[in-house]
Amino acid sequence: MEHVPPPAEELARLDRELAELDARRAQLLTRRAWLLAALRPPAPTAAPGWNPSAWGAPAPGRTGAPAQPWGHVPPKQASAPRSAQNVLLTLGGLLLTVAAIAFTLVSWGSMGIGGRSAVLAAVTVGALAAPAVLLRRGLTATAEALAALALVLTLLDAYAVHAVAAPDTDGLGFTAVAAAVLAALWTAYGLALGKLHLPLPAAVVLAQWPLLFGAWAAGAPALVVGWALLATAVLDGAIALWGKGTGARVTACVGGSVMAFSALMVGLTLSVTASGPLGALAPGTLLLTAAAAALAGAWRAPRGFARAGGVVAGLASVAAVGGVPAAAVPEDWAVLAYLSAGLALTAVVRTRLPRNAAIGALVASAAVVAGALAGALPGLAAVLLGPVTLLSDVWAGSPEGFRAALGSTLPWTGLAATPVVLAVSAGLLGSAYRWWPSPARIAASLIAREEPGSGGAAASGAPHGTGAPWYAGGRAGAPWYAGGASAARRRPSGAALRGAAGAGAAVLGWGALLLTGAVLDVPYAVAVAGETVLVAGLLALAVRGTGSGREGSAAVPVTALVAALAGAVSAGLLSLASEGASYAVFGSLAALFAGAAVRAGAGVERAVFAVAATVGCTVLTGFAGRSLGLAPHEAAPLILLVPALTVLFGARLRRNPVALPVELTGALGALVAVALAVPDAPFLALVLALCGVLAAGAAVRPERRPVAAYLAAALFVLATWVRLAASEVSFPEAYTLPVTVPALVVGFLRRRKDPEASSWTAYGPGLAATLLPSLAVAWTDPEWQRPLLLGVSALVITLLGARYRLQALLLLGGAVLALDGLHELAPYVVQVAGALPRWLPPALAGLLLLVVGATYEQRLRDARRLKDALGRMR
């Protein structure tokens, strides 16, 4: 009988065959094109004036080179003459350099002073003069190689002069002078021979050392070294802006960055370690000079470098200005001085600085504020997570102060300024949120500012050449917040910024109040009450924000909601030290979240409020069981009060979006009750039965019936099994068969009335009620009668399922039969496995994988046929 595949499989097979035909056709066309090209007559010989640069170009009259035959590998191209020339010149220059070094170090002592001078002078002059001649003849590469040799020779000349003419001079001082002389020499040489690329970058490298080595040689203090580094960085900046040649400018940029960073580190270290305000003035002057130099460079630099210069200038200014008052206050309060300087840096928006430099300064201000706020993270983490330690000893007694309840070893006295930092930052963000148009106007004026030499607004990027800046709305010069079609498209960005400011103010204000309590070490009762009041305030802010309906206002209520949840968890954990505090806090939290759920508008926020209130009520029921002196398993039925209320609440709300989250939270409470009852089997059976009652109550509603009905049946059956196991029943069939027989009869009648009904609905519950408990007992039964009877019954059920095409009978019976057979064969399998060589099981497994891999497509088709066959069963 010929097998006719399903339409989907046949279509896939046809697509594969068509793809193979297309690929084969493409191969044949490629081969045909190559054969046609091979049969054409060869192209005519080129004329004497033929240009060698046209190598590899297609022949005249042809659209391209002929296709190559299959498997053709093009011959490797010969190295370009220029590449080979560069290699040879490089090797030659290196050899000459090695020879010069060897001569200077080895043969120098065997010659007199005249011979030494003559050799060095002749070789150096020759190496310096040769590139000029070579450049006139067009031999640029050779000139570059000899210029490199000349550079090394000048360095050797300087070493020789120190070794012979001035051996007693200080090494650092002589190096500084030699570096300055050589830098000047190579600068003049590079400018004279402008086609050479090496002399000017080499001169920039040499120019990095004279001032630094000179300061070290003179034994100058660290501040003078910092000034030397800064002066070198300024010189590098000038070269980077106005220097000749890309190589010299890039080298100067890299060297200036290193020197400027070193100078800033010297100034910052001296400012931080200053003994007083007067001692911080000198390094502050160095830092301010560095800031001025960075701004001067940013005035003319491209956009990226200008912004980097603005950042450097801003950070240096903050370190300089903030370092003086920081040296006059205790170390713990120094952060306020730097924070104040960083906030004052925002005044650059009112100056005439270029836009990119001002943006960089604002970035520096934000970085300073972020660094100050980062110092509050350890204290906030300790306040929020510290009460977790109370879980190990619930209701042990109220501690004396807030810090004792946190169990943290942080130096709280060193965090005295942290709440002030958070409060100041929160106040500024809150002000920006409250009077938002003013910050928006300032930002618009900053964006509208023209760069030097930009040529007006149109040149600075105004769209469509209208002369209006990008943020303009419906009229020329109007910022994005003033209206217009373009403003309508950009307004959400401004609203988002305002929302971010409000959200930051809420979080920072909340953190400031939390840390204030920890720093002051308020009494335990005050700390618990304070955290609960803060949660109430955050909930009020969240509820007020959800109902405002203003554009961009979602950030504030969402942030307040998240902070309220975190604060509720922290307050709840903190209250676990005292029984009275636990009832008061969790009762208040449940009431607060329930009230917020009532007042909030429909949406995710309302569901979150309702879920939090449900969790609080569940915890209260657990507290009640502990107060009554009940064991955990004895308190489990008491915890089911909240799930029962959620079922009633869901029936009242029906299809309200809040109903499902609340009911799921109640279901999680039921799981907690089940987990508590696990150590005691009779209570576990009782809890499972009560959970089944709750699930059956939820199944009365049509929208919950598809899931709750099956869950209720499973819970009732599981409760029965647990109860039988707790009663040490050895023959569960005496209890399950009276249920199975009528269940199968009812299923048979259901199938006669409705032939399309699923076999799982008709026969699944009845069969599972006997087969599964019997299988569980059979696995621990040492006798052979029960496994035999169970296997025979499962075989009969499997055959009936295959005969009448009933999926439930086939799968349930087959699974029970396989597991029962495995139980019976397990001892023999273990014996055989112990007798086999150790290498044989891996070998057999590998062979099986090879066979399956080789016939993978066939096995996949077989699996699909089996799946389709099972799917056609009822």
Side-chain angles (χ1 to χ4, degrees):
M1 180 177 179
E2 184 178 357
H3 170 67
V4 179
E9 182 179 349
E10 186 176 2
L11 179 61
R13 184 184 302 170
L14 290 176
D15 290 339
R16 288 195 298 270
E17 292 178 357
L18 289 173
E20 293 174 357
L21 289 175
D22 291 339
R24 179 59 177 165
R25 185 174 184 275
Q27 292 177 355
L28 293 176
L29 289 175
T30 304
R31 180 63 176 175
R32 180 178 180 276
W34 182 83
L35 291 174
L36 289 176
L39 292 175
R40 287 194 182 100
T45 306
W50 175 62
N51 184 11
S53 64
W55 286 3
R62 296 171 59 183
T63 58
Q68 299 298 330
W70 296 339
H72 173 74
V73 179
K76 184 178 293 186
Q77 297 288 339
S79 300
R82 183 67 63 183
S83 300
Q85 180 188 19
N86 291 335
V87 171
L88 293 176
L89 290 173
T90 302
L91 291 176
L94 288 175
L95 291 176
L96 288 175
T97 302
V98 171
I101 294 174
F103 170 78
T104 303
L105 297 178
V106 177
S107 301
W108 184 262
S110 61
M111 301 179 64
I113 186 63
R116 299 173 187 176
S117 303
V119 169
L120 277 176
V123 173
T124 304
V125 170
L128 290 173
V133 178
L134 294 173
L135 287 176
R136 284 197 297 268
R137 296 180 177 272
L139 302 176
T140 307
T142 308
E144 290 284 0
L146 287 179
L149 175 62
L151 172 64
V152 176
L153 287 175
T154 54
L155 295 176
L156 294 176
D157 288 340
Y159 168 76
V161 169
H162 179 264
V164 176
D168 298 330
T169 58
D170 180 62
L172 283 176
F174 184 85
T175 303
V177 174
V181 172
L182 291 177
L185 172 64
W186 277 95
T187 301
Y189 188 75
L191 293 176
L193 302 178
K195 293 183 179 180
L196 294 179
H197 300 287
L198 182 62
L200 290 180
V204 173
V205 173
L206 289 174
Q208 307 301 309
W209 312 114
L211 294 179
L212 178 61
F213 286 168
W216 281 350
L223 184 62
V224 176
V225 174
W227 281 106
L229 292 170
L230 180 58
T232 305
V234 171
L235 176 62
D236 289 330
I239 297 174
L241 288 174
W242 298 292
K244 181 181 179 182
T246 304
R249 297 174 70 179
V250 171
T251 305
C253 185
V254 174
S257 300
V258 174
M259 293 297 174
F261 178 78
S262 303
L264 290 174
M265 289 298 101
V266 171
L268 180 62
T269 303
L270 295 176
S271 177
V272 171
T273 58
S275 58
L278 294 179
L281 287 177
T285 305
L286 173 63
L287 292 172
L288 284 178
T289 306
L295 283 181
W299 203 279
R300 293 183 176 272
R303 181 176 65 178
F305 290 97
R307 293 187 178 180
V311 172
V312 172
L315 294 177
S317 300
V318 170
V321 176
V324 176
V329 298
E331 182 180 359
D332 302 334
W333 293 88
V335 63
L336 285 178
Y338 293 107
L339 178 63
S340 302
L343 294 175
L345 195 60
T346 57
V348 296
V349 298
R350 295 295 187 182
T351 64
R352 299 304 300 171
L353 281 179
R355 178 179 61 189
N356 291 314
I359 291 175
L362 293 179
V363 171
S365 175
V368 172
V369 175
L373 295 178
L377 293 179
L380 282 176
V383 172
L384 293 176
L385 303 178
V388 174
T389 57
L390 297 176
L391 289 173
S392 60
D393 196 7
V394 179
W395 296 355
S398 301
E400 295 182 358
F402 193 8
R403 298 179 193 171
L406 298 178
S408 176
T409 58
L410 283 177
W412 292 105
T413 55
L415 298 176
T418 304
V420 181
V421 171
L422 295 177
V424 170
S425 303
L428 292 175
L429 290 176
S431 301
Y433 178 78
R434 175 64 179 83
W435 293 285
W436 173 247
S438 296
R441 293 190 187 97
I442 294 173
S445 65
L446 176 62
I447 295 171
R449 188 175 301 166
E450 298 178 8
E451 292 296 318
S454 61
S460 62
H464 311 299
T466 60
W470 61 267
Y471 56 87
R475 61 187 185 275
W480 52 265
Y481 53 81
S486 178
R489 291 191 297 270
R490 299 186 184 275
R491 192 176 296 119
S493 175
L497 291 175
R498 184 190 182 196
V507 171
L508 294 178
W510 171 59
L513 293 175
L514 287 178
L515 278 179
T516 299
V519 170
L520 297 179
D521 196 17
V522 298
Y524 172 75
V526 175
V528 172
E531 290 204 18
T532 308
V533 171
L534 286 178
V535 172
L538 291 171
L539 286 177
L541 183 60
V543 172
R544 180 183 177 185
T546 55
S548 64
R550 292 180 298 178
E551 184 182 13
S553 61
V556 176
V558 170
T559 304
L561 174 58
V562 174
L565 293 175
V569 173
S570 178
L573 292 174
L574 188 64
S575 68
L576 295 179
S578 171
E579 181 177 3
S582 299
Y583 278 107
V585 169
F586 278 94
S588 301
L589 292 176
L592 288 172
F593 279 104
V598 173
R599 294 294 302 274
V604 178
E605 294 85 358
R606 188 175 187 182
V608 173
F609 292 145
V611 167
T614 306
V615 172
C617 293
T618 304
V619 175
L620 285 175
T621 56
F623 288 161
R626 184 180 177 89
S627 297
L628 294 174
L630 301 177
H633 65 273
E634 294 174 339
L638 188 62
I639 295 179
L640 292 177
L641 288 176
V642 175
L645 292 176
T646 58
V647 172
L648 296 176
F649 186 71
R652 179 73 174 83
L653 292 178
R654 290 291 177 178
R655 297 185 181 276
N656 192 294
V658 179
L660 181 59
V662 170
E663 290 181 79
L664 291 177
T665 308
L668 291 177
L671 285 178
V672 173
V674 171
L676 292 175
V678 166
D680 190 274
F683 267 94
L684 178 60
L686 174 62
V687 171
L688 289 172
L690 292 176
C691 292
V693 172
L694 296 178
V700 174
R701 298 158 53 194
E703 66 273 12
R704 300 286 184 262
R705 188 170 301 152
V707 176
Y710 288 104
L711 180 61
L715 288 172
F716 283 134
V717 173
L718 185 60
T720 303
W721 295 346
V722 173
R723 181 68 259 184
L724 293 177
S727 301
E728 299 182 355
V729 173
S730 57
F731 294 97
E733 294 81 5
Y735 298 90
T736 58
L737 284 176
V739 177
T740 296
V741 173
L744 293 178
V745 172
V746 172
F748 177 75
L749 296 177
R750 168 75 183 278
R751 289 273 298 174
R752 287 189 62 183
K753 184 178 180 181
D754 182 14
E756 297 299 324
S758 173
S759 61
W760 289 100
T761 304
Y763 304 119
L767 291 175
T770 293
L771 290 178
L772 297 182
S774 299
L775 179 63
V777 176
W779 268 76
T780 58
D781 192 352
E783 302 297 332
W784 57 271
Q785 292 87 353
R786 177 178 279 105
L788 177 61
L789 294 175
L790 180 62
V792 171
S793 302
L795 177 61
V796 171
I797 292 172
T798 304
L799 295 176
L800 289 175
R803 170 66 179 81
Y804 293 103
R805 303 179 64 81
L806 298 175
Q807 191 181 97
L809 275 68
L810 179 63
L811 294 182
L812 272 176
V816 172
L817 180 62
L819 292 175
D820 186 65
L822 178 63
H823 171 263
E824 295 302 311
L825 294 176
Y828 305 102
V829 172
V830 172
Q831 293 178 3
V832 172
L836 292 176
R838 293 183 179 271
W839 57 267
L840 189 57
L844 294 176
L847 182 62
L848 177 63
L849 292 177
L850 289 176
V851 173
V852 173
T855 60
Y856 175 75
E857 294 292 338
Q858 182 63 36
R859 302 287 77 78
L860 192 59
R861 286 193 290 270
D862 294 342
R864 288 172 179 167
R865 293 193 194 98
L866 178 61
K867 177 184 176 182
D868 295 338
L870 289 175
R872 288 191 292 270
M873 292 183 178
R874 299 301 303 170

